[in-house]
């Protein structure tokens, strides 16, 4: 806007009545007007010049000036420049809507919100970090991107301080203990380590500098040794609470994000949050220009990620519960620091984890650590559970959902065992000519490859990818089982593709040719083949009805004992099938690890306990029904007796003739005469 010399002179005269020269705080309207006067005030207008100088030195002015330069608040998300990858990704910045995943080149910058290390890692942590490991592997090992993954470790925080003080140890001792346990748990879950780990205590100087620049830009203020982010100033030029706009007035959520600083009286507004906290008694102290203190929770990720990645990152991820206020405050801080409107291009959040349909908590006695889960199930089984559910949806960890993962694993194992058995039994110079059944199966393989790719392009839809793989497995398994002379090369090609995909998903190690890994030396093959064939002959004899029933039963019991107890104890799994040629008993063997044997025993015991509990419950319910029926019958009999008693009492009291007279009460009929 242009102003005439006459208007400016009139304003200069008016300002002689203002008290700005004595330190009166300027208004936002003053800031907006001063921004429009930049470079337009003649030197001869002293009052207007001094007023303008006073205003532009106020922190409020810098925020308003930034807003005017940027054109005001922007949308929560704009499509970044770059090359479309073909992937459509659920972006929390768009309310979870699937949008094209666009990156500048084949390198993807990714920041993962890491753990606050003050307690053992639980299945909620597994839900988060195992999910991101699966997506990272898909990006790297299937789509061919190079992912630079950075993860923080919060090793100074209100929860750590409180727990350390309760335990009588230092914050360093506590956080070091649980950080080591966390990474050991990640290793047990086969989660690839991040490329860079950032501990908060190692980046305090960068956090201080980051905070100071936010103050310099007019979006934060110091009060009583603490520094707070000015949410109201930020909202004049930016979109605040992009991830959960409806939560920004939820005081309980705001207080939760502030920890021990909740309800601080030195804030300008209840929504403001701490960037730097003045240290209290028995708290760690770091020196700064505002006095002794420590970083706030939200500022750490903004400062450390920006230090390593810069002005904008491709991908940021964390748990659903971190959207507000933590991640929304991260976005606000970083945009305030850089003076732009998009620090993160794609924000992804895992769905919540439930334990048997309930929120996990110690009060409900369902708190499940990662090691609790690994005592019952293998890493492979837990990974399959996660793969069978969409990463962005709620996941229920229970015996029922795990049973689906166990069934899926067993079906894969049966298929791989069948292929390996067919390979071992392959006859020299076997027929290789393809018939219609082989051509159809080969087409199913091509269709499956396309189906898996389309599934992963669609927001990394692993449940659909696993459905496609299982459909291919079913057709190939039927072919391996039923064909008199299956084409081994075709079976191997299918097994190799299925294996490759589960290598991508982190279920099968990369050094395995196909199938699940086997731990023993291949030199055991002839011995296991001979013993399995001998056992098959015993089972055929037991099937012969010419032998006495007790002998047949004893033989079958012995062969079952071998399958259920003896072979698993030495790392061998037997699957009883039938010979496709004549329908006689036949078994296929595979090698398994000690971990799988342990898990199988635990699962068998769990199933037996579940069956016993079911029987106990059914017996109790039956007894309750019988007791209820007996009680109902007794009540009915008592009611009938009471009714009869009352009738008799009424009759004895002469209460009138009964409605239906008894034969003894009837009047005799006349016998004749006058």
């Amino acid at each position: 806007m242009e102003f005439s010399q006459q208007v400016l002179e009139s304003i200069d005269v008016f300002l002689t009545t203002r008290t700005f020269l004595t330190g009166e705080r300027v208004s936002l309207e003053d800031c907006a007007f001063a921004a429009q006067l930049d470079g337009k005030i003649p030197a001869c207008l002293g009052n207007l010049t001094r007023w303008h100088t006073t205003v532009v030195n106020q922190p409020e002015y810098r925020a308003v000036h930034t807003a005017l330069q940027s054109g005001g608040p922007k949308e929560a998300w704009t499509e970044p420049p770059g090359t479309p990858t073909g992937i459509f990704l659920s972006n929390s910045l768009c309310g979870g809507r699937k949008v094209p995943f666009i990156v500048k080149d084949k390198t993807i910058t990714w920041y993962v919100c890491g753990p606050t290390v003050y307690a053992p890692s639980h299945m909620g942590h597994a839900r988060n970090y195992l999910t991101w490991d699966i997506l990272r592997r898909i990006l790297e090992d299937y789509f061919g991107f190079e992912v630079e993954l950075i993860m923080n470790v919060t090793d100074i925080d209100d929860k750590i301080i409180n727990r350390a003080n309760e335990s009588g140890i230092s914050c360093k001792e506590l956080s070091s203990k649980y950080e080591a346990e966390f990474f050991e748990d990640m290793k047990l879950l086969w989660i690839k380590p991040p490329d860079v780990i950032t501990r908060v205590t190692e980046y305090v100087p960068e956090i201080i500098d980051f905070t100071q620049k936010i103050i310099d830009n007019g979006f934060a203020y110091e009060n009583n040794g603490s520094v707070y982010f000015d949410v109201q100033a930020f909202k004049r030029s930016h979109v605040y609470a992009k991830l959960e706009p409806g939560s920004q007035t939820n005081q309980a959520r705001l207080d939760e994000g502030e920890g021990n600083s909740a309800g601080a009286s030195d804030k300008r507004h209840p929504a403001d949050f701490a960037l730097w906290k003045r240290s209290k008694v028995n708290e760690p102290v770091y020196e700064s220009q505002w006095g002794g203190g420590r970083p706030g929770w939200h500022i750490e990720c903004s400062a450390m990620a920006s230090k390593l990645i810069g002005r904008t990152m491709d991908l940021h991820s964390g748990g659903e519960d971190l959207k507000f206020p933590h991640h929304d405050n991260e976005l606000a801080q970083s945009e305030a620091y850089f003076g732009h409107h998009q620090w993160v291009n794609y924000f992804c959040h895992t769905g919540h984890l439930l334990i048997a349909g309930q929120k996990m908590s110690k009060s409900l006695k369902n708190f499940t650590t990662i090691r609790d889960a690994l005592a019952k199930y293998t890493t492979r089984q837990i990974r399959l559970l996660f793969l069978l559910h969409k990463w962005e949806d709620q996941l229920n960890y229970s015996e029922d959902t795990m049973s689906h993962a166990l069934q899926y694993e067993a079906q894969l194992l049966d298929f791989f065992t069948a292929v390996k058995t067919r390979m071992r039994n392959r006859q020299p110079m076997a027929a290789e000519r393809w018939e219609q059944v082989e051509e159809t199966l080969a087409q199913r393989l091509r269709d499956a490859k396309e189906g898996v790719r389309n599934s992963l392009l669609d927001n990394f839809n692993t449940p659909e990818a696993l459905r496609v793989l299982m459909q291919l497995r079913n057709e190939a398994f039927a072919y391996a089982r039923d064909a008199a002379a299956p084409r081994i090369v075709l079976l191997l090609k299918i097994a190799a593709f299925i294996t490759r995909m589960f290598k991508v998903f982190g279920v099968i190690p990369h050094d395995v040719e196909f199938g699940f890994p086997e731990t023993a030396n291949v030199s055991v093959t002839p011995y296991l083949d001979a013993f399995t064939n001998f056992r098959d002959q015993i089972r055929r004899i037991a099937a012969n009805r010419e032998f006495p029933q007790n002998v047949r039963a004893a033989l079958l019991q012995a062969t079952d004992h071998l399958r259920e107890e003896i072979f698993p104890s030495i790392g061998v799994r037997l699957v009883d099938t039938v010979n496709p040629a004549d329908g006689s008993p036949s078994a296929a063997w595979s090698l398994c690890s000690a971990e799988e044997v342990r898990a199988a025993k635990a699962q068998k015991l769990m199933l037996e306990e579940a069956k016993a509990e079911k029987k106990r419950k059914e017996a109790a319910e039956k007894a309750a029904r019988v007791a209820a029926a007996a009680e109902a019958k007794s009540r009915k009999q008592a009611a009938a007796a009471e009714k009869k008693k009352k009738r008799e009492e009424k009759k004895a009291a002469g209460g009138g003739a009964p409605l239906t007279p008894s034969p003894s009460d009837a009047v005799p009929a006349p016998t004749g005469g006058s």
Side-chain angles (χ1 to χ4, degrees), residues 433-595:
R433 173 185 166 83
W434 277 20
E435 304 297 342
Q436 183 60 49
V437 63
E438 284 81 24
E439 292 176 6
T440 300
L441 191 56
Q443 183 59 48
R444 295 288 185 269
L445 173 59
R446 290 189 287 271
D447 293 343
K449 289 181 176 180
E450 183 180 359
V452 167
R453 182 173 182 81
N454 290 338
S455 300
L456 298 182
L457 286 171
D458 181 18
N459 199 32
F460 305 107
N461 188 345
T462 57
E464 176 60 19
L466 263 64
R467 187 197 66 78
V468 172
L469 290 170
M470 182 53 66
Q471 189 174 37
L472 175 64
R473 172 266 176 208
N474 290 342
E475 296 193 42
F477 179 69
Y479 174 72
R481 180 193 61 205
D482 300 336
R487 306 306 184 251
I488 299 301
V489 173
L490 177 57
L491 277 177
L492 285 176
K493 197 171 182 180
I494 294 171
F497 170 65
I498 293 175
T499 300
R500 185 212 163 200
M501 291 315 305
F502 283 101
K503 287 179 180 179
V504 168
F505 298 145
V507 173
I508 297 176
H510 280 279
D511 58 354
V512 175
E513 184 179 357
F514 80 89
F516 292 143
E518 298 180 344
T519 56
N521 192 290
V522 293
S523 61
V524 303
T525 297
Y527 303 102
L528 286 174
D529 280 343
F531 197 92
T532 303
N533 290 335
F534 174 73
R535 180 178 174 274
D536 289 343
Q537 292 176 27
I538 298 298
R539 291 177 68 226
R540 292 188 191 108
I541 292 171
N544 190 337
R545 296 184 179 274
E546 295 180 3
F547 291 95
Q549 175 61 31
N550 61 334
V551 174
R552 295 167 58 210
L555 289 174
L556 287 174
Q557 186 178 5
T559 58
D560 287 348
H561 183 68
L562 276 169
R563 184 192 62 220
E564 297 295 329
E565 301 295 337
I566 303 301
F567 270 26
S569 69
I570 60 173
V572 180
R573 179 178 182 267
L574 272 184
V575 178
D576 284 328
T577 59
V578 295
N579 189 320
D582 58 13
S584 61
S586 177
W589 63 265
S590 62
L591 300 175
C592 53
S593 66
E595 178 192 24

Side-chain angles (χ1 to χ4, degrees), residues 650-651 653-659:
K650 185 176 181 181
K651 177 182 176 183
L659 293 176

Side-chain angles (χ1 to χ4, degrees), residues 140-165:
E140 290 181 333
D141 299 337
Y142 186 78
F143 288 116
F145 290 99
E146 182 179 342
V147 174
E148 292 181 357
L149 191 135
I150 300 166
M151 186 181 75
N152 74 298
V153 173
T154 300
D155 59 348
I156 183 65
D157 174 82
D158 291 329
K159 293 176 181 177
I160 294 173
I161 293 169
N162 295 341
R163 183 64 58 84
N165 289 338

Side-chain angles (χ1 to χ4, degrees), residues 298-544:
H298 314 298
I299 192 68
E300 61 184 64
C301 291
S302 294
M304 295 188 297
S306 298
K307 168 71 175 177
L308 294 167
I309 297 176
R311 293 174 57 85
T312 306
M313 70 178 74
D314 294 311
L315 186 58
H316 193 338
S317 62
E320 176 83 11
D321 56 318
L322 294 180
K323 279 185 178 179
F324 186 89
H326 184 54
H327 286 160
D328 271 324
N329 288 350
E330 278 187 38
L331 293 170
Q333 294 163 161
S334 303
E335 292 175 12
Y337 177 89
F338 287 111
H340 60 25
H341 292 273
Q342 190 153 299
W343 183 55
V344 173
N345 288 336
Y346 299 89
F347 225 135
C348 298
H349 293 90
T350 55
H352 287 298
L353 178 101
L354 299 179
I355 304 293
Q358 294 183 307
K359 183 178 179 181
M360 183 172 63
S361 80
K362 291 181 179 178
S363 62
L364 293 174
K365 298 182 179 179
N366 65 357
F367 189 84
T368 307
T369 67
I370 289 173
R371 298 190 188 191
D372 290 336
L374 288 173
K376 294 174 67 176
Y377 304 106
T378 66
T379 296
R380 186 164 74 204
Q381 292 162 352
I382 293 173
R383 274 191 174 256
L384 286 171
L385 171 70
F386 282 50
L387 288 161
L388 288 167
H389 293 77
K390 290 186 176 181
W391 63 267
E392 74 275 23
D393 286 352
Q394 184 173 273
L395 172 61
N396 186 28
Y397 171 74
S398 67
E399 290 183 6
D400 181 56
T401 55
M402 281 304 305
S403 69
H404 296 297
L406 297 179
Q407 182 183 15
Y408 197 101
E409 178 193 45
Q411 290 175 307
L412 285 179
L413 187 54
D414 287 348
F415 169 64
F416 292 140
T417 300
V419 175
K420 291 175 182 179
T421 301
R422 284 297 198 168
M423 282 181 62
R424 290 195 296 268
N425 298 335
R426 184 185 187 188
Q427 298 298 317
M429 300 304 295
E432 295 292 351
R433 173 185 166 83
W434 277 20
E435 304 297 342
Q436 183 60 49
V437 63
E438 284 81 24
E439 292 176 6
T440 300
L441 191 56
Q443 183 59 48
R444 295 288 185 269
L445 173 59
R446 290 189 287 271
D447 293 343
K449 289 181 176 180
E450 183 180 359
V452 167
R453 182 173 182 81
N454 290 338
S455 300
L456 298 182
L457 286 171
D458 181 18
N459 199 32
F460 305 107
N461 188 345
T462 57
E464 176 60 19
L466 263 64
R467 187 197 66 78
V468 172
L469 290 170
M470 182 53 66
Q471 189 174 37
L472 175 64
R473 172 266 176 208
N474 290 342
E475 296 193 42
F477 179 69
Y479 174 72
R481 180 193 61 205
D482 300 336
R487 306 306 184 251
I488 299 301
V489 173
L490 177 57
L491 277 177
L492 285 176
K493 197 171 182 180
I494 294 171
F497 170 65
I498 293 175
T499 300
R500 185 212 163 200
M501 291 315 305
F502 283 101
K503 287 179 180 179
V504 168
F505 298 145
V507 173
I508 297 176
H510 280 279
D511 58 354
V512 175
E513 184 179 357
F514 80 89
F516 292 143
E518 298 180 344
T519 56
N521 192 290
V522 293
S523 61
V524 303
T525 297
Y527 303 102
L528 286 174
D529 280 343
F531 197 92
T532 303
N533 290 335
F534 174 73
R535 180 178 174 274
D536 289 343
Q537 292 176 27
I538 298 298
R539 291 177 68 226
R540 292 188 191 108
I541 292 171
N544 190 337

Side-chain angles (χ1 to χ4, degrees), residues 15-25 50-51 54 58:
L15 286 172
T16 59
T17 65
R18 294 286 298 274
T19 57
F20 69 93
L21 295 179
T22 61
E24 177 184 307
R25 185 160 182 166
R50 286 191 296 274
W51 173 84
T54 301
Q58 300 297 317

